[in-house]
Amino acid sequence: MAAQRGIAARQSLLFLGSFVFGHSVQRAIHELGHAIATWIAGGEVYGIALHPFLPGRCHHSATAHPGLTTWGGVLLPMIVGLMLVVLLWRRRRPAFAPLFAIGVFA
């Protein structure tokens, strides 16, 4: 009985750690999308602030197009996630593809 609780605890920690890692990577890609869109719009990026408990922030010049900059944070994670889905599908690992699809559109 104690061995089963130990296995369950390790699996729970693995799940929680995977979620935290995945969420952190997604937030970094999201803010990177804002930065790339700002550069495309002709603005200047001063920095990206990531914090584990607060929303991230892309510090950029006011000359960037606000619509393009806003949508950059949405589009880049979707593109990266869809590329991972296609890569997994082509590598004959379609069982993992729905996990990335859910993560992309969540």
Side-chain angles (χ1 to χ4, degrees):
M1 189 65 136
Q4 288 177 343
R5 280 187 284 164
I7 292 171
R10 283 193 298 260
Q11 288 175 342
S12 297
L13 286 174
L14 179 64
F15 176 76
L16 180 64
S18 299
F19 175 79
V20 169
F21 178 75
H23 181 69
S24 300
V25 169
Q26 189 278 337
R27 289 178 63 184
I29 293 172
H30 173 85
E31 295 304 328
L32 183 64
H34 287 305
I36 291 171
T38 300
W39 287 325
I40 290 172
E44 188 174 339
V45 176
Y46 303 123
I48 295 176
L50 296 172
H51 192 276
F53 305 113
L54 298 173
R57 178 108 174 112
C58 178
H59 302 284
H60 56 81
S61 62
T63 59
H65 189 275
L68 181 63
T69 302
T70 301
W71 277 100
V74 176
L75 293 176
L76 185 64
M78 287 179 65
I79 291 168
V80 169
L82 288 173
M83 286 172 45
L84 284 172
V85 168
V86 169
L87 178 70
L88 286 171
W89 203 273
R90 293 189 66 180
R91 298 253 184 213
R92 307 284 190 240
R93 308 240 184 229
F96 294 112
L99 296 175
F100 285 107
I102 290 168
V104 168
F105 296 110

